Coordinates of all heavy atoms in Angstrom, one line a residue:
M55 N -155.2 -54.1 0.3 CA -155.6 -55.0 1.4 C -155.4 -54.2 2.7 O -154.2 -53.7 3.0 CB -154.8 -56.3 1.4 CG -155.3 -57.3 2.3 SD -154.3 -58.8 2.5 CE -153.7 -59.1 0.8
N56 N -156.3 -54.2 3.6 CA -156.1 -53.5 4.9 C -155.1 -54.3 5.8 O -154.9 -55.5 5.6 CB -157.5 -53.2 5.6 CG -158.1 -54.5 6.1 OD1 -157.5 -55.4 6.6 ND2 -159.4 -54.6 5.9
K57 N -154.6 -53.6 6.8 CA -153.5 -54.2 7.6 C -154.0 -55.4 8.3 O -153.2 -56.4 8.4 CB -153.2 -53.1 8.7 CG -151.9 -53.5 9.5 CD -150.8 -52.4 9.4 CE -149.6 -52.8 10.1 NZ -149.1 -54.2 9.7
L58 N -155.2 -55.4 8.9 CA -155.8 -56.6 9.6 C -155.8 -57.8 8.7 O -155.3 -58.8 9.1 CB -157.1 -56.2 10.1 CG -157.8 -57.4 11.0 CD1 -157.2 -57.3 12.3 CD2 -159.3 -57.1 11.1
K59 N -156.3 -57.6 7.5 CA -156.4 -58.7 6.6 C -155.0 -59.2 6.2 O -154.8 -60.4 6.1 CB -157.2 -58.3 5.3 CG -157.6 -59.5 4.4 CD -158.5 -59.0 3.3 CE -158.8 -60.1 2.3 NZ -159.7 -59.6 1.2
E60 N -154.1 -58.3 6.0 CA -152.7 -58.6 5.7 C -152.1 -59.6 6.8 O -151.5 -60.6 6.5 CB -151.8 -57.4 5.7 CG -150.9 -57.3 4.5 CD -150.3 -55.9 4.4 OE1 -150.9 -55.0 3.9 OE2 -149.2 -55.7 5.0
E61 N -152.3 -59.2 8.1 CA -151.8 -60.0 9.2 C -152.5 -61.3 9.3 O -151.8 -62.3 9.5 CB -152.1 -59.2 10.6 CG -151.1 -58.0 10.9 CD -151.7 -57.3 12.0 OE1 -152.4 -57.8 12.8 OE2 -151.3 -56.1 12.0
L62 N -153.8 -61.4 9.0 CA -154.6 -62.6 9.0 C -154.0 -63.6 7.9 O -153.7 -64.7 8.2 CB -156.1 -62.2 8.8 CG -156.9 -63.5 8.4 CD1 -157.2 -64.3 9.8 CD2 -158.2 -63.1 7.8
V63 N -153.8 -63.0 6.8 CA -153.3 -63.8 5.6 C -151.9 -64.4 5.9 O -151.7 -65.5 5.7 CB -153.3 -63.1 4.4 CG1 -152.7 -63.8 3.2 CG2 -154.8 -62.6 3.9
K64 N -151.1 -63.6 6.5 CA -149.8 -64.0 6.9 C -149.8 -65.2 7.9 O -149.1 -66.2 7.7 CB -149.0 -62.8 7.6 CG -148.1 -62.1 6.7 CD -147.0 -61.2 7.5 CE -146.7 -60.0 6.6 NZ -146.9 -58.7 7.3
E65 N -150.7 -65.1 8.8 CA -150.8 -66.2 9.9 C -151.4 -67.4 9.2 O -151.0 -68.6 9.5 CB -151.7 -65.8 11.0 CG -151.1 -64.8 12.0 CD -151.5 -64.9 13.4 OE1 -151.8 -66.0 13.8 OE2 -151.7 -63.8 14.0
L66 N -152.3 -67.3 8.3 CA -153.0 -68.4 7.5 C -152.0 -69.1 6.7 O -151.9 -70.3 6.6 CB -154.2 -68.0 6.7 CG -155.4 -67.5 7.6 CD1 -156.4 -66.9 6.7 CD2 -156.0 -68.6 8.4
A67 N -151.0 -68.3 6.1 CA -150.0 -68.8 5.2 C -149.0 -69.7 6.0 O -148.5 -70.7 5.6 CB -149.3 -67.7 4.4
L68 N -148.8 -69.3 7.3 CA -147.8 -70.1 8.1 C -148.5 -71.5 8.4 O -147.7 -72.4 8.7 CB -147.7 -69.3 9.5 CG -146.8 -68.1 9.4 CD1 -146.7 -67.4 10.7 CD2 -145.4 -68.4 8.9
I69 N -149.8 -71.6 8.3 CA -150.5 -72.9 8.6 C -150.6 -73.8 7.4 O -150.1 -74.9 7.4 CB -151.9 -72.6 9.1 CG1 -151.9 -71.9 10.5 CG2 -152.7 -74.0 9.3 CD1 -153.3 -71.3 10.9
V70 N -151.1 -73.2 6.3 CA -151.3 -74.0 5.0 C -150.3 -73.8 4.0 O -150.2 -74.6 3.0 CB -152.7 -73.8 4.5 CG1 -153.8 -74.2 5.5 CG2 -152.9 -72.4 4.0
G71 N -149.5 -72.8 4.0 CA -148.5 -72.5 3.0 C -149.2 -71.5 2.0 O -150.4 -71.6 1.7
E72 N -148.4 -70.6 1.4 CA -149.0 -69.5 0.6 C -149.7 -70.1 -0.7 O -150.7 -69.5 -1.2 CB -147.9 -68.7 0.0 CG -147.5 -67.6 1.0 CD -146.4 -66.7 0.6 OE1 -146.2 -66.6 -0.7 OE2 -145.7 -66.1 1.4
D73 N -149.3 -71.3 -1.2 CA -150.0 -71.9 -2.3 C -151.4 -72.3 -2.1 O -152.1 -72.5 -3.1 CB -149.2 -73.1 -2.8 CG -147.7 -72.8 -3.3 OD1 -147.5 -71.5 -3.5 OD2 -146.9 -73.6 -3.4
W74 N -151.8 -72.4 -0.8 CA -153.1 -72.9 -0.5 C -154.0 -71.8 0.0 O -155.1 -72.1 0.7 CB -153.0 -74.1 0.4 CG -152.3 -75.2 -0.1 CD1 -150.9 -75.5 0.2 CD2 -152.6 -76.2 -1.2 NE1 -150.4 -76.4 -0.7 CE2 -151.4 -76.9 -1.5 CE3 -153.8 -76.3 -1.9 CZ2 -151.5 -77.9 -2.4 CZ3 -153.8 -77.3 -2.9 CH2 -152.7 -78.0 -3.1
I75 N -153.7 -70.5 -0.3 CA -154.5 -69.4 0.1 C -154.8 -68.7 -1.3 O -153.9 -68.5 -2.1 CB -153.8 -68.5 1.0 CG1 -153.6 -69.1 2.3 CG2 -154.5 -67.2 1.2 CD1 -152.9 -68.3 3.4
T76 N -156.0 -68.3 -1.5 CA -156.5 -67.6 -2.7 C -157.0 -66.2 -2.3 O -158.0 -66.2 -1.5 CB -157.5 -68.4 -3.5 OG1 -157.1 -69.7 -3.6 CG2 -157.7 -67.8 -4.9
L77 N -156.5 -65.2 -2.9 CA -156.9 -63.8 -2.7 C -157.4 -63.2 -4.0 O -158.3 -62.3 -3.8 CB -155.7 -63.0 -2.2 CG -155.2 -63.4 -0.7 CD1 -153.9 -62.7 -0.5 CD2 -156.2 -63.0 0.3
E78 N -157.0 -63.6 -5.1 CA -157.4 -62.9 -6.4 C -158.9 -63.2 -6.7 O -159.3 -64.3 -6.7 CB -156.6 -63.4 -7.6 CG -155.1 -63.3 -7.4 CD -154.4 -64.5 -6.8 OE1 -155.2 -65.3 -6.3 OE2 -153.3 -64.6 -6.8
E79 N -159.6 -62.0 -7.0 CA -161.1 -62.1 -7.0 C -161.5 -63.1 -8.1 O -162.4 -63.9 -8.0 CB -161.7 -60.7 -7.3 CG -163.1 -60.8 -7.4 CD -163.8 -59.4 -7.3 OE1 -163.2 -58.4 -6.7 OE2 -164.9 -59.2 -7.9
E80 N -160.7 -63.1 -9.3 CA -161.3 -64.0 -10.3 C -161.2 -65.5 -9.9 O -161.9 -66.3 -10.4 CB -160.5 -63.7 -11.6 CG -159.0 -64.0 -11.7 CD -158.2 -62.8 -11.1 OE1 -158.8 -61.9 -10.6 OE2 -156.9 -63.1 -11.1
K81 N -160.2 -65.8 -9.0 CA -160.1 -67.1 -8.6 C -161.0 -67.5 -7.4 O -161.4 -68.6 -7.3 CB -158.6 -67.4 -8.2 CG -157.5 -67.5 -9.2 CD -156.2 -67.8 -8.7 CE -155.2 -67.8 -9.9 NZ -153.8 -67.7 -9.3
I82 N -161.4 -66.5 -6.7 CA -162.4 -66.7 -5.6 C -163.8 -66.8 -6.0 O -164.6 -67.5 -5.4 CB -162.3 -65.5 -4.6 CG1 -161.0 -65.6 -3.8 CG2 -163.5 -65.3 -3.8 CD1 -160.7 -64.3 -2.9
L83 N -164.1 -66.2 -7.2 CA -165.5 -66.2 -7.7 C -166.2 -67.5 -7.6 O -167.3 -67.7 -7.1 CB -165.6 -65.6 -9.1 CG -165.5 -64.1 -9.2 CD1 -165.6 -63.7 -10.6 CD2 -166.7 -63.5 -8.4
G84 N -165.5 -68.6 -8.0 CA -166.1 -69.9 -8.0 C -166.5 -70.5 -6.7 O -167.4 -71.3 -6.5
Y85 N -165.9 -69.8 -5.6 CA -166.3 -70.3 -4.2 C -167.4 -69.5 -3.6 O -167.9 -69.8 -2.6 CB -165.0 -70.1 -3.3 CG -163.8 -71.0 -3.7 CD1 -162.9 -70.6 -4.6 CD2 -163.8 -72.3 -3.2 CE1 -161.9 -71.4 -5.0 CE2 -162.7 -73.2 -3.5 CZ -161.8 -72.7 -4.4 OH -160.8 -73.5 -4.8
L86 N -167.8 -68.4 -4.4 CA -168.8 -67.5 -3.8 C -170.2 -67.9 -4.0 O -171.2 -67.4 -3.5 CB -168.6 -66.1 -4.3 CG -167.3 -65.5 -4.1 CD1 -167.2 -64.1 -4.6 CD2 -167.0 -65.5 -2.5
Y87 N -170.4 -69.0 -4.9 CA -171.8 -69.4 -5.2 C -171.8 -71.0 -5.0 O -170.9 -71.7 -5.3 CB -172.1 -69.1 -6.7 CG -172.0 -67.6 -6.9 CD1 -170.9 -67.1 -7.5 CD2 -173.1 -66.8 -6.6 CE1 -170.7 -65.6 -7.7 CE2 -173.0 -65.4 -6.8 CZ -171.8 -64.9 -7.4 OH -171.8 -63.5 -7.6
D88 N -173.0 -71.4 -4.7 CA -173.3 -72.9 -4.7 C -174.3 -73.0 -5.9 O -174.4 -72.3 -6.8 CB -173.8 -73.3 -3.3 CG -175.1 -72.7 -2.9 OD1 -175.7 -72.0 -3.7 OD2 -175.5 -73.0 -1.7
Q89 N -175.0 -74.2 -5.8 CA -176.0 -74.4 -6.9 C -177.3 -73.9 -6.7 O -178.3 -74.3 -7.4 CB -176.0 -76.0 -7.1 CG -174.7 -76.6 -7.5 CD -174.3 -76.1 -8.9 OE1 -175.1 -76.0 -9.9 NE2 -173.0 -75.5 -9.0
T90 N -177.6 -72.9 -5.8 CA -178.8 -72.3 -5.6 C -179.2 -71.6 -6.9 O -178.4 -70.9 -7.6 CB -178.7 -71.1 -4.6 OG1 -178.2 -71.8 -3.4 CG2 -180.0 -70.5 -4.3
P91 N -180.5 -71.9 -7.4 CA -180.8 -71.3 -8.7 C -180.9 -69.8 -8.7 O -181.1 -69.2 -7.7 CB -182.3 -71.9 -8.9 CG -182.4 -73.0 -7.9 CD -181.5 -72.8 -6.8
D92 N -180.5 -69.3 -9.9 CA -180.3 -67.8 -10.0 C -181.3 -66.9 -9.2 O -181.0 -66.1 -8.4 CB -180.2 -67.4 -11.4 CG -178.7 -67.6 -12.0 OD1 -177.9 -67.7 -11.0 OD2 -178.5 -67.8 -13.1
P93 N -182.6 -67.1 -9.5 CA -183.6 -66.1 -8.8 C -183.4 -66.0 -7.4 O -183.6 -64.9 -6.8 CB -184.9 -66.6 -9.2 CG -184.8 -67.7 -10.2 CD -183.4 -68.2 -10.2
M94 N -183.0 -67.1 -6.7 CA -182.9 -67.0 -5.2 C -181.4 -66.7 -4.8 O -181.2 -66.6 -3.7 CB -183.2 -68.4 -4.6 CG -184.7 -68.5 -4.5 SD -185.3 -69.6 -5.7 CE -184.7 -71.2 -5.1
K95 N -180.4 -66.8 -5.8 CA -179.1 -66.7 -5.4 C -178.7 -65.3 -5.0 O -178.8 -64.3 -5.7 CB -178.2 -66.9 -6.8 CG -176.8 -67.3 -6.5 CD -176.1 -67.7 -7.7 CE -176.3 -69.1 -8.0 NZ -175.6 -69.6 -9.2
P96 N -178.5 -65.1 -3.7 CA -178.1 -63.8 -3.2 C -176.7 -63.3 -3.6 O -175.9 -64.0 -4.0 CB -178.2 -63.9 -1.7 CG -178.0 -65.4 -1.4 CD -178.3 -66.2 -2.7
E97 N -176.5 -61.9 -3.5 CA -175.2 -61.4 -3.9 C -174.2 -61.7 -2.8 O -174.4 -61.3 -1.6 CB -175.4 -59.9 -4.0 CG -174.2 -59.1 -4.5 CD -173.6 -59.6 -5.9 OE1 -174.5 -60.1 -6.6 OE2 -172.4 -59.4 -6.1
P98 N -173.1 -62.2 -3.2 CA -172.2 -62.6 -2.0 C -171.2 -61.5 -1.7 O -171.0 -60.6 -2.4 CB -171.4 -63.9 -2.6 CG -171.4 -63.5 -4.1 CD -172.7 -62.8 -4.4
S99 N -170.6 -61.6 -0.5 CA -169.5 -60.7 -0.1 C -168.3 -61.2 -0.9 O -168.0 -62.4 -1.0 CB -169.3 -60.8 1.4 OG -168.0 -60.2 1.6
K100 N -167.5 -60.3 -1.5 CA -166.3 -60.7 -2.2 C -165.0 -60.4 -1.4 O -164.0 -60.8 -1.8 CB -166.2 -60.0 -3.6 CG -167.3 -60.4 -4.5 CD -167.1 -59.9 -5.9 CE -168.1 -60.4 -6.8 NZ -169.5 -59.8 -6.7
D101 N -165.3 -59.9 -0.2 CA -164.1 -59.6 0.6 C -163.8 -60.9 1.5 O -164.0 -60.9 2.7 CB -164.4 -58.4 1.6 CG -163.2 -58.0 2.4 OD1 -162.1 -58.5 2.0 OD2 -163.3 -57.3 3.4
V102 N -163.3 -61.9 0.8 CA -163.0 -63.1 1.4 C -161.7 -63.7 1.1 O -161.0 -63.3 0.1 CB -164.1 -64.2 1.1 CG1 -165.5 -63.8 1.4 CG2 -164.0 -64.6 -0.4
V103 N -161.2 -64.6 1.9 CA -159.9 -65.3 1.6 C -160.2 -66.8 1.6 O -160.9 -67.3 2.5 CB -158.9 -65.0 2.8 CG1 -157.6 -65.8 2.6 CG2 -158.6 -63.6 3.0
V104 N -159.9 -67.4 0.5 CA -160.1 -68.9 0.4 C -158.9 -69.6 0.9 O -157.8 -69.3 0.5 CB -160.4 -69.3 -1.1 CG1 -160.5 -70.8 -1.1 CG2 -161.7 -68.7 -1.5
V105 N -159.1 -70.5 1.9 CA -158.0 -71.2 2.5 C -158.2 -72.7 2.3 O -159.3 -73.2 2.6 CB -157.8 -71.0 4.0 CG1 -156.5 -71.5 4.6 CG2 -157.8 -69.4 4.2
K106 N -157.3 -73.5 1.8 CA -157.4 -74.9 1.5 C -156.6 -75.8 2.5 O -155.5 -76.1 2.2 CB -157.2 -75.2 0.1 CG -158.1 -74.4 -0.8 CD -157.6 -74.8 -2.3 CE -158.5 -73.9 -3.2 NZ -158.0 -74.1 -4.6
P107 N -157.2 -76.2 3.7 CA -156.3 -76.9 4.6 C -156.3 -78.4 4.1 O -157.2 -78.9 3.3 CB -157.2 -76.9 5.9 CG -158.7 -76.6 5.4 CD -158.6 -75.8 4.2
K108 N -155.3 -79.2 4.5 CA -155.1 -80.5 4.0 C -155.6 -81.5 5.0 O -155.8 -82.7 4.7 CB -153.7 -80.8 3.6 CG -152.7 -80.9 4.7 CD -151.3 -81.3 4.0 CE -150.2 -81.3 5.1 NZ -149.8 -80.0 5.6
N109 N -155.8 -81.1 6.3 CA -156.3 -82.0 7.3 C -157.0 -81.4 8.5 O -157.0 -80.1 8.5 CB -155.0 -82.9 7.8 CG -153.9 -82.0 8.3 OD1 -154.2 -80.9 8.9 ND2 -152.7 -82.4 8.1
A110 N -157.4 -82.1 9.4 CA -158.2 -81.6 10.6 C -157.3 -80.7 11.4 O -157.8 -79.7 12.0 CB -158.7 -82.7 11.4
E111 N -156.0 -81.0 11.5 CA -155.1 -80.2 12.4 C -155.0 -78.8 11.8 O -155.2 -77.8 12.5 CB -153.7 -80.9 12.3 CG -152.8 -80.3 13.4 CD -151.3 -80.7 13.1 OE1 -151.1 -81.7 12.4 OE2 -150.4 -80.0 13.6
E112 N -154.9 -78.7 10.5 CA -154.9 -77.4 9.9 C -156.2 -76.7 10.0 O -156.2 -75.4 10.3 CB -154.5 -77.5 8.4 CG -153.0 -77.9 8.2 CD -152.5 -77.7 6.7 OE1 -153.4 -77.5 5.8 OE2 -151.4 -77.9 6.4
V113 N -157.3 -77.3 9.9 CA -158.6 -76.7 10.2 C -158.7 -76.2 11.5 O -159.1 -75.0 11.7 CB -159.7 -77.8 9.9 CG1 -161.1 -77.2 10.3 CG2 -159.8 -78.2 8.5
S114 N -158.2 -76.9 12.5 CA -158.3 -76.4 13.9 C -157.4 -75.2 14.0 O -157.9 -74.3 14.7 CB -157.7 -77.6 14.7 OG -157.5 -77.1 16.0
K115 N -156.3 -75.2 13.5 CA -155.4 -74.0 13.6 C -156.0 -72.8 12.9 O -155.9 -71.7 13.4 CB -154.0 -74.3 13.0 CG -153.2 -75.3 13.8 CD -151.8 -75.5 13.2 CE -151.0 -76.4 14.0 NZ -149.8 -77.0 13.2
I116 N -156.6 -73.0 11.7 CA -157.3 -71.9 10.9 C -158.4 -71.3 11.8 O -158.5 -70.1 11.9 CB -157.8 -72.4 9.6 CG1 -156.7 -72.8 8.6 CG2 -158.8 -71.4 8.9 CD1 -157.1 -73.7 7.5
L117 N -159.1 -72.1 12.3 CA -160.2 -71.7 13.3 C -159.8 -70.9 14.5 O -160.4 -69.9 14.9 CB -161.1 -72.9 13.7 CG -161.9 -73.6 12.7 CD1 -162.7 -74.8 13.2 CD2 -162.8 -72.6 11.8
L118 N -158.7 -71.3 15.0 CA -158.0 -70.5 16.1 C -157.6 -69.1 15.6 O -157.9 -68.1 16.2 CB -156.8 -71.2 16.7 CG -157.1 -72.4 17.7 CD1 -155.8 -73.2 17.9 CD2 -157.7 -71.9 19.0
V119 N -157.0 -69.1 14.5 CA -156.6 -67.7 13.9 C -157.8 -67.0 13.6 O -157.9 -65.7 13.9 CB -155.8 -67.9 12.7 CG1 -155.5 -66.7 11.9 CG2 -154.4 -68.5 13.1
A120 N -158.9 -67.5 13.0 CA -160.0 -66.8 12.6 C -160.7 -66.2 13.9 O -161.2 -65.1 13.9 CB -161.0 -67.7 11.8
N121 N -160.7 -67.0 14.8 CA -161.3 -66.5 16.1 C -160.6 -65.4 16.7 O -161.1 -64.4 17.2 CB -161.4 -67.7 17.2 CG -162.2 -67.4 18.4 OD1 -163.2 -66.8 18.2 ND2 -161.7 -67.7 19.5
K122 N -159.3 -65.5 16.7 CA -158.3 -64.4 17.1 C -158.7 -63.1 16.5 O -158.7 -62.1 17.1 CB -156.9 -64.8 17.0 CG -155.9 -63.8 17.3 CD -154.5 -64.3 17.0 CE -153.5 -63.3 16.9 NZ -152.2 -63.8 16.4
Y123 N -159.0 -63.2 15.1 CA -159.3 -62.0 14.4 C -160.8 -61.7 14.3 O -161.1 -60.8 13.5 CB -158.6 -62.1 13.0 CG -157.1 -62.0 12.9 CD1 -156.3 -63.1 13.2 CD2 -156.5 -60.7 12.8 CE1 -155.0 -63.0 13.1 CE2 -155.1 -60.6 12.8 CZ -154.3 -61.7 12.9 OH -152.9 -61.7 13.0
R124 N -161.5 -62.5 15.0 CA -163.0 -62.3 14.9 C -163.5 -62.4 13.5 O -164.4 -61.6 13.1 CB -163.4 -61.0 15.6 CG -163.1 -61.0 17.1 CD -164.1 -61.8 17.9 NE -163.9 -61.8 19.3 CZ -163.2 -62.7 20.0 NH1 -162.6 -63.8 19.4 NH2 -163.0 -62.7 21.3
M125 N -162.9 -63.3 12.7 CA -163.4 -63.5 11.3 C -164.4 -64.6 11.1 O -164.0 -65.7 11.6 CB -162.1 -63.8 10.4 CG -161.2 -62.7 10.2 SD -162.0 -61.3 9.2 CE -161.0 -60.0 9.5
P126 N -165.5 -64.4 10.5 CA -166.4 -65.6 10.2 C -165.8 -66.5 9.2 O -165.0 -66.2 8.4 CB -167.6 -64.8 9.6 CG -167.2 -63.6 9.0 CD -166.0 -63.1 9.8
V127 N -166.1 -67.8 9.5 CA -165.5 -68.9 8.7 C -166.7 -69.6 7.9 O -167.7 -70.0 8.7 CB -164.8 -69.9 9.5 CG1 -164.3 -71.1 8.7 CG2 -163.6 -69.2 10.1
F128 N -166.6 -69.8 6.7 CA -167.7 -70.6 6.0 C -167.1 -71.8 5.3 O -166.3 -71.7 4.3 CB -168.2 -69.6 4.8 CG -168.7 -68.3 5.3 CD1 -168.0 -67.1 5.1 CD2 -169.9 -68.2 6.1 CE1 -168.4 -65.9 5.5 CE2 -170.2 -67.0 6.6 CZ -169.6 -65.8 6.3
P129 N -167.4 -73.0 5.9 CA -166.8 -74.2 5.4 C -167.3 -74.4 4.0 O -168.5 -74.0 3.6 CB -167.4 -75.3 6.3 CG -167.9 -74.6 7.5 CD -168.2 -73.2 7.0
R130 N -166.6 -75.0 3.1 CA -167.0 -75.3 1.7 C -166.7 -76.8 1.4 O -165.6 -77.2 1.7 CB -166.2 -74.4 0.9 CG -166.3 -74.6 -0.6 CD -167.6 -74.0 -1.1 NE -167.7 -74.1 -2.6 CZ -168.5 -73.4 -3.3 NH1 -169.4 -72.6 -2.7 NH2 -168.6 -73.5 -4.6
G131 N -167.7 -77.4 0.9 CA -167.4 -78.8 0.4 C -167.4 -78.8 -1.1 O -166.6 -78.1 -1.7
G132 N -168.4 -79.5 -1.8 CA -168.3 -79.6 -3.3 C -169.0 -78.3 -3.8 O -169.0 -78.2 -5.0
G133 N -169.7 -77.5 -3.0 CA -170.4 -76.4 -3.6 C -171.6 -76.7 -4.3 O -172.2 -76.0 -5.1
T134 N -172.2 -77.8 -4.0 CA -173.5 -78.3 -4.7 C -174.7 -78.0 -4.0 O -175.8 -78.3 -4.3 CB -173.5 -79.9 -5.0 OG1 -173.6 -80.5 -3.6 CG2 -172.2 -80.3 -5.7
G135 N -174.6 -77.3 -2.8 CA -175.7 -76.9 -1.9 C -176.7 -76.2 -2.7 O -176.3 -75.5 -3.7
L136 N -177.9 -76.2 -2.2 CA -179.0 -75.4 -2.8 C -179.7 -74.4 -1.9 O -180.8 -73.9 -2.1 CB -180.1 -76.5 -3.3 CG -179.6 -77.4 -4.4 CD1 -180.6 -78.6 -4.5 CD2 -179.4 -76.7 -5.7
A137 N -179.0 -74.1 -0.7 CA -179.6 -73.3 0.2 C -178.9 -71.9 0.3 O -178.8 -71.2 1.3 CB -179.4 -74.0 1.5
A138 N -178.4 -71.5 -0.8 CA -177.7 -70.1 -0.9 C -176.6 -70.0 0.0 O -176.7 -70.0 1.2 CB -178.7 -69.0 -0.5
D139 N -175.4 -70.1 -0.6 CA -174.1 -70.2 0.0 C -174.0 -69.1 1.2 O -174.4 -68.0 1.0 CB -173.0 -69.9 -1.0 CG -171.7 -70.5 -0.5 OD1 -171.2 -69.8 0.6 OD2 -171.2 -71.4 -1.0
P140 N -173.5 -69.5 2.3 CA -173.3 -68.5 3.5 C -172.5 -67.3 3.1 O -172.5 -66.4 3.9 CB -172.7 -69.4 4.5 CG -172.0 -70.5 3.9 CD -172.9 -70.9 2.7
F141 N -171.8 -67.3 2.0 CA -171.0 -66.1 1.8 C -171.9 -64.9 1.5 O -171.6 -63.7 1.6 CB -170.2 -66.3 0.4 CG -169.0 -67.1 0.7 CD1 -168.8 -68.3 0.2 CD2 -168.0 -66.6 1.5 CE1 -167.7 -69.1 0.4 CE2 -166.8 -67.3 1.8 CZ -166.7 -68.5 1.2
S142 N -173.3 -65.2 1.2 CA -174.2 -64.1 0.7 C -174.6 -63.3 1.9 O -175.8 -63.2 2.4 CB -175.4 -64.8 0.1 OG -175.9 -65.8 0.9
R143 N -173.7 -62.6 2.5 CA -174.0 -61.8 3.7 C -173.9 -60.3 3.4 O -173.7 -59.5 4.3 CB -173.1 -62.1 4.9 CG -173.3 -63.6 5.3 CD -173.4 -63.7 6.8 NE -173.4 -65.0 7.3 CZ -174.5 -65.9 7.1 NH1 -175.6 -65.3 6.6 NH2 -174.6 -67.0 7.6
K144 N -173.9 -60.0 2.1 CA -173.8 -58.6 1.7 C -174.8 -57.7 2.2 O -175.9 -58.1 2.2 CB -173.6 -58.5 0.2 CG -172.9 -57.3 -0.2 CD -172.6 -57.3 -1.7 CE -171.6 -56.2 -2.1 NZ -171.4 -56.1 -3.5
Ligands
FAD222 C1 -178.5 -81.4 -9.0 C2 -178.5 -81.5 -7.5 C3 -179.1 -82.5 -6.9 C4 -179.2 -82.6 -5.5 N1 -179.9 -83.6 -4.9 C5 -179.9 -83.8 -3.5 C6 -180.6 -84.8 -2.9 O1 -181.1 -85.7 -3.5 N2 -180.5 -84.8 -1.5 C7 -179.8 -83.9 -0.8 O2 -179.8 -83.9 0.4 N3 -179.2 -82.8 -1.3 C8 -179.3 -82.8 -2.7 N4 -178.6 -81.7 -3.3 C9 -177.9 -80.6 -2.5 C10 -176.4 -80.9 -2.1 O3 -175.9 -81.7 -3.1 C11 -176.3 -81.5 -0.8 O4 -176.8 -80.5 0.1 C12 -174.9 -81.8 -0.5 O5 -174.8 -82.4 0.7 C13 -174.1 -80.5 -0.4 O6 -172.7 -80.9 -0.2 P1 -171.5 -80.1 -0.6 O7 -170.2 -80.7 -0.2 O8 -171.6 -79.8 -2.1 O9 -171.7 -78.7 0.3 P2 -171.4 -77.2 0.0 O10 -172.5 -76.7 -1.0 O11 -170.1 -77.0 -0.2 O12 -171.9 -76.6 1.4 C14 -173.4 -76.8 1.7 C15 -173.4 -76.3 3.3 O13 -172.7 -77.1 4.1 C16 -171.7 -76.4 4.8 N5 -170.5 -77.2 4.8 C17 -169.9 -77.8 3.8 N6 -168.8 -78.5 4.2 C18 -168.8 -78.4 5.6 C19 -168.0 -79.0 6.6 N7 -167.0 -79.8 6.4 N8 -168.3 -78.7 7.9 C20 -169.3 -77.8 8.2 N9 -170.2 -77.4 7.3 C21 -169.9 -77.7 6.0 C22 -171.5 -75.1 4.0 O14 -171.0 -74.0 4.8 C23 -172.8 -74.9 3.5 O15 -173.6 -74.1 4.4 C24 -178.5 -81.7 -4.7 C25 -177.9 -80.6 -5.3 C26 -177.9 -80.5 -6.7 C27 -177.1 -79.4 -7.4

């Protein structure tokens, strides 16, 4: 993990707690796709951090940190979207 991402993850952990951050690729995979049918499903970027805030206050703090590191943020709901998940920026 590069230094920038390490610092970012440390700051995010201070907001939500380490248990609510996912870095392992096998655990992240489920967040990289929505219900867009296969032929149209683009290849997602896998260099992501999944963060699970518990309330609006944590969301606000996460966005401040993401902005500080100039990191794009992709909100995730139930993952049932059919418009090709925004992660697909490879
Ligand atoms: C079988 C099936 C049937 C469907 N039928 C319908 C239907 O009849 N009508 C219909 O409109 N849709 C339908 N959909 C599409 C889908 O269910 C809807 O678009 C639903 O609203 C997506 O919600 P989600 O929480 O799963 O969003 P996700 O798939 O998690 O996200 C969808 C988009 O919304 C953004 N997003 C999610 N949460 C937030 C947030 N809190 N703030 C800002 N942006 C956010 C994501 O970044 C992404 O761009 C269907 C999907 C399936 C699989």
Side-chain angles (χ1 to χ4, degrees):
M55 189 186 324
N56 67 39
K57 188 123 185 53
L58 184 73
K59 191 172 176 181
E60 224 172 278
E61 285 168 23
L62 171 74
V63 170
K64 264 197 206 125
E65 286 207 40
L66 293 171
L68 290 174
I69 299 167
V70 299
E72 277 179 22
D73 295 345
W74 302 99
I75 292 182
T76 310
L77 294 166
E78 300 91 349
E79 186 164 330
E80 66 276 4
K81 291 185 183 161
I82 284 175
L83 279 180
Y85 294 90
L86 298 182
Y87 300 96
D88 62 8
Q89 294 299 311
T90 302
D92 278 339
M94 281 102 71
K95 195 175 279 182
E97 184 58 27
S99 164
K100 293 195 174 74
D101 185 15
V102 299
V103 179
V104 172
V105 188
K106 300 178 186 175
K108 68 173 178 287
N109 55 33
E111 191 194 342
E112 288 190 355
V113 170
S114 169
K115 289 180 180 167
I116 290 164
L117 293 177
L118 281 172
V119 169
N121 190 44
K122 175 180 162 189
Y123 288 87
R124 296 283 180 265
M125 287 293 162
V127 174
F128 306 110
R130 173 82 175 189
T134 66
L136 296 166
D139 197 297
F141 280 113
S142 52
R143 299 229 182 282
K144 204 168 187 186

